[in-house]
């Protein structure tokens, strides 16, 4: 079993930064992929950014150049640095881990971008 706990969400003004963290615990294998997803009200959950255990990253087009995903394998931590936030970034952000034994989700953290 894997547990994922997100933190760092909150209310931020447009143009501001926010950093999300995800703490992973449990049976985590060295080869895996982790990612951040988000779900806005009335919309489907979508991939924001992903990173594998080798450090290769991918980003959704709306966040390219503004968001940076990173991870600390030794600490089993995943991060999402979000800059130049826009109102359309408002959503619940979820941490996800995929490995050979299956996938796991966190409960999410709310990010609200508003003045």
């Amino acid at each position: 079993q894997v547990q994922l706990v997100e933190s760092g969400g909150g209310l931020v003004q447009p143009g501001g930064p926010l950093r999300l963290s995800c703490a992973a615990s449990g049976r985590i294998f060295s080869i895996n992929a982790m990612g951040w997803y988000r779900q806005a009200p009335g919309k489907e959950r979508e991939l924001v950014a992903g990173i594998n255990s080798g450090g290769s990253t991918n980003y959704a087009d709306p966040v390219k150049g503004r968001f940076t995903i990173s991870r600390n394998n030794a600490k089993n931590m995943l991060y999402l640095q979000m800059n130049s936030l826009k109102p359309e970034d408002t959503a619940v952000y979820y941490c996800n881990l995929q490995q050979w034994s299956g996938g796991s989700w966190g409960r999410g953290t709310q990010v609200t971008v508003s003045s």
Side-chain angles (χ1 to χ4, degrees):
Q1 294 286 352
V2 173
Q3 294 79 42
L4 303 173
V5 179
E6 303 95 339
S7 61
L11 174 64
V12 61
Q13 292 188 342
L18 205 61
R19 188 192 195 209
L20 304 183
S21 299
C22 173
S25 60
R27 195 173 186 186
I28 300 169
F29 296 94
S30 59
I31 299 175
N32 58 63
M34 298 189 75
W36 289 99
Y37 290 72
R38 66 185 181 187
Q39 188 167 18
K43 295 188 176 181
E44 294 186 354
R45 191 173 298 188
E46 61 179 4
L47 174 68
V48 175
I51 184 169
N52 64 22
S53 47
S56 296
T57 60
N58 62 288
Y59 295 91
D61 286 343
V63 307
K64 283 182 179 178
R66 299 188 298 123
F67 291 9
T68 302
I69 189 171
S70 61
R71 61 190 289 171
N72 184 322
N73 292 333
K75 296 183 178 180
N76 288 329
M77 292 291 297
L78 179 71
Y79 306 100
L80 185 67
Q81 178 66 45
M82 304 185 292
N83 297 326
S84 303
L85 281 161
K86 304 176 181 180
E88 50 263 44
D89 295 318
T90 294
V92 178
Y93 284 70
Y94 297 91
C95 178
N96 176 264
L97 182 146
Q98 296 289 333
Q99 54 188 5
W100 73 268
S101 58
S104 300
W105 291 94
R107 292 190 173 185
T109 184
Q110 176 71 45
V111 173
T112 302
V113 184
S114 175
S115 55

